[in-house]
Amino acid sequence: MDARRSVRATMIRRMLACCMTVTTLFTPGLLRAQRNEAGGWASLQLSKALQHNWTLGVRGEIRGREEMHSLDLAFLRAMAGYRITPWMGAELAVDRMWRSTSAQNRMLLSLTGTWGRRSLALSVRQRYIYAHNGETHSYAHLMRTMVSLSCHMGDSRWTPYISVEGYYWDRWQMTHTFIGSRLRLDSHNSLDLFYVCNIKATPAGLIHSRSE
């Protein structure tokens, strides 16, 4: 038992070290200010596996902020996925996203690779987003790169993880870092508890907000 605990502690330390390394790579600058707040995310996803490695699904999500007193964003998404290899998949999705002051129609194209070794799993996702605002007739392009590392702790229902995601197109825009753990409630439901560190680019410099 002590040996297993030692192995788990070593894995967690390595995950934290990896998080700090990746965050350093994604964060080219100094922190100028910081802001704390709490919020919550809720999502529901339905998917159906088809023949020949295809998957269809729909997803709805809502995110609250400022102690859940205001809406951060919400979206309704339709998705089609294809398993290219046992360790790589592609997904095309369209959604309608609402924020407190605007709404957008988006197209998302994602490519995700996943590699596992013993109880550790590494995932890298590259996502392209095309967004169109019908009210202002404007459009925007965005690239998002996410690196995630998770640890499956034997028979435990908890899976700690670290994820770092960079947002950019013609310049770097922001980085999200998630440190948390997923609790498997049953075969269809899970609960995530996490801490989010956001670093955003602004005309005055970088803004560091601990949660959003």
Side-chain angles (χ1 to χ4, degrees), residues 138-154:
S138 60
Y139 64 91
H141 302 276
L142 182 65
M143 294 294 293
R144 294 167 53 173
T145 300
M146 173 180 279
V147 179
S148 301
L149 183 64
S150 61
C151 177
H152 304 282
M153 304 173 63

Side-chain angles (χ1 to χ4, degrees), residues 2-3 20 34 36 56 60 67 71 78 89 101 104 132 136 151-152 155 165-166 170 206:
D2 292 339
M20 295 179 64
Q34 71 179 30
N36 298 318
L56 296 179
E67 288 73 41
L71 175 68
T101 58
Q104 293 180 339
H132 178 261
T136 61
C151 177
H152 304 282
D155 296 332
E165 185 171 22
D170 54 347
L206 303 179

Side-chain angles (χ1 to χ4, degrees), residues 41 43-47 55-63 73-81 91-99 104-110 125 127-131 142 144 146 165 167:
W41 300 2
S43 63
L44 175 64
Q45 179 170 318
L46 303 175
S47 59
T55 303
L56 296 179
V58 293
R59 179 183 179 91
E61 184 167 317
I62 184 169
R63 303 179 185 180
L73 65 86
F75 65 79
L76 183 61
R77 178 177 300 168
M79 307 167 292
E91 182 182 88
L92 176 65
V94 293
D95 69 15
R96 176 73 170 176
M97 185 183 73
W98 297 269
R99 288 188 178 273
Q104 293 180 339
N105 295 313
R106 304 189 303 174
M107 180 188 72
L108 307 90
L109 180 61
S110 306
R125 186 188 71 190
R127 171 172 287 176
Y128 164 74
I129 300 176
Y130 171 81
L142 182 65
R144 294 167 53 173
M146 173 180 279
E165 185 171 22
Y167 292 62

